Amino acid sequence: MTETNASMTHFQRPSSRFKEYKDRYETIDMERTSDGVLTMRFHTGGGPLQWSLQAHYEFEDAFAQVGRDRDNDVIILTGTGDAFSGPAIKPGSHPNRNSMTPSHYDPILWEGKHLLPNLLSIEAPVIAAINGPAVRHAEIPLLSDIVLATDSTYFQDTAHFAGGMVPGDGMHIVMPLLMGPTRGRYFLYTGQKIEAAEAKDLGLVNEILPEDQLLDRARELAAELLKQPRLVRRYTRTVVTETLRGQMHGLLGYGLALEGLARMREN
């Protein structure tokens, strides 16, 4: 055996990095079972997630860390309490519009260019268990491989066009792609509210469940996915997200640039 082959034979990759990042985030609680099912529960102070610049920063980093940890075999994304993500923004009243400088927007732009690609680069099946209304960044759970919702779930983009901002940080890609171009544009322009039943008819949601059955169903599906060999799971996730990752590469940075330009101070 050559020296090179011997080195390859005896190389041991480090054990799971989970303990290094699982408690790092204030807006994400993480729990992983012994079979590799990682549940990421989004929240603000133990209640429903209130989208913020902190959540924006933490989601980008968390998805990167989760994707680098090969001991994460299935991912479940869920929220806290009676809503998945908020708060709703009143029409034309987003607090950050017309408030940015280039220096202020630059880290937001960087995080935005990586947040959704990091999610899509996780090479493990992703299940969304949407526990209630998602009125801020619904594109995050809707990018999952399997999407579960409750009877009380609805989808709406209150923060972007309706709130006075360009929907350039992924909504402009995801919603027209999932709903079809005409319906997607209507959703973005009008602030349309899509209830769970309609979302299922449109193909955004796979199953609608009572709230008390939502996570149990997600775990049941995770157990079914785990019956396949790890490489089958990882490579299936890779191949079914390839188109999405390609579209993000071409359009996400451009959309974020236009969103930022429209957010700059007038004087």
Side-chain angles (χ1 to χ4, degrees):
M1 182 181 293
T2 66
E3 181 178 349
T4 299
N5 288 338
S7 298
M8 292 176 64
T9 301
H10 295 292
F11 173 69
Q12 295 291 326
R13 286 182 170 80
S15 58
S16 173
R17 305 169 56 254
F18 186 55
K19 64 182 180 180
E20 298 175 9
Y21 64 82
K22 70 182 185 71
D23 297 321
R24 182 180 298 179
Y25 309 105
E26 293 186 21
T27 62
I28 308 169
D29 284 345
M30 298 192 195
E31 180 181 357
R32 189 170 70 193
T33 57
S34 59
D35 57 2
V37 177
L38 171 65
T39 300
M40 302 178 70
R41 184 176 65 82
F42 307 139
H43 70 98
T44 296
L49 177 69
Q50 306 294 291
W51 190 258
S52 63
L53 292 180
Q54 180 179 8
H56 193 266
Y57 165 78
E58 291 190 345
F59 278 40
E60 184 277 327
D61 188 72
F63 290 145
Q65 297 301 326
V66 167
R68 293 184 184 120
D69 187 346
R70 294 176 65 89
D71 287 338
N72 293 320
D73 286 315
V74 179
I75 315 300
I76 297 174
L77 308 180
T78 194
T80 302
D82 59 2
F84 184 86
S85 60
I89 300 294
K90 294 180 180 179
S93 63
H94 195 291
N96 290 333
R97 67 190 189 115
N98 299 329
S99 65
M100 295 286 176
T101 66
S103 294
H104 189 188
Y105 189 66
D106 179 64
I108 301 172
L109 172 67
W110 188 91
E111 292 162 11
K113 286 192 297 184
H114 293 85
L115 194 156
L116 294 181
N118 285 353
L119 171 59
L120 291 169
S121 292
I122 295 173
E123 292 185 357
V126 178
I127 301 170
I130 306 175
N131 56 299
V135 300
R136 300 287 295 276
H137 288 284
E139 81 279 9
I140 292 174
L142 290 176
L143 282 174
S144 300
D145 302 300
I146 297 174
V147 181
L148 311 178
T150 65
D151 299 313
S152 64
T153 296
Y154 62 83
F155 302 98
Q156 193 174 20
D157 184 11
T158 64
H160 289 108
F161 191 82
M165 299 211 305
V166 176
D169 51 359
M171 293 293 280
H172 69 300
I173 302 170
V174 175
M175 301 314 293
L177 185 63
L178 296 181
M179 300 173 66
T182 300
R183 286 182 295 200
R185 290 192 295 264
Y186 180 86
F187 174 83
L188 295 174
Y189 274 117
T190 66
Q192 179 187 13
K193 180 179 178 180
I194 300 179
E195 303 283 355
E198 183 179 2
K200 188 172 185 292
D201 289 341
L202 290 171
L204 301 178
V205 168
N206 299 115
E207 299 180 21
I208 301 172
L209 301 126
E211 185 177 344
D212 61 356
Q213 297 177 24
L214 182 69
L215 275 176
D216 286 342
R217 178 57 176 156
R219 293 173 183 135
E220 179 183 357
L221 286 163
E224 286 296 313
L225 296 174
L226 287 172
K227 292 178 180 179
Q228 296 295 337
R230 173 174 284 183
L231 290 186
V232 171
R233 295 192 308 268
R234 291 181 66 87
Y235 295 168
T236 298
R237 166 70 173 175
T238 300
V239 75
V240 299
T241 56
E242 183 65 30
T243 298
L244 280 165
R245 285 184 282 118
Q247 292 213 4
M248 293 292 169
H249 178 75
L251 297 173
L252 187 55
Y254 177 64
L256 281 159
L258 292 179
E259 179 179 340
L261 185 62
R263 293 173 73 174
M264 293 299 148
R265 295 174 182 171
E266 296 290 344
N267 52 46

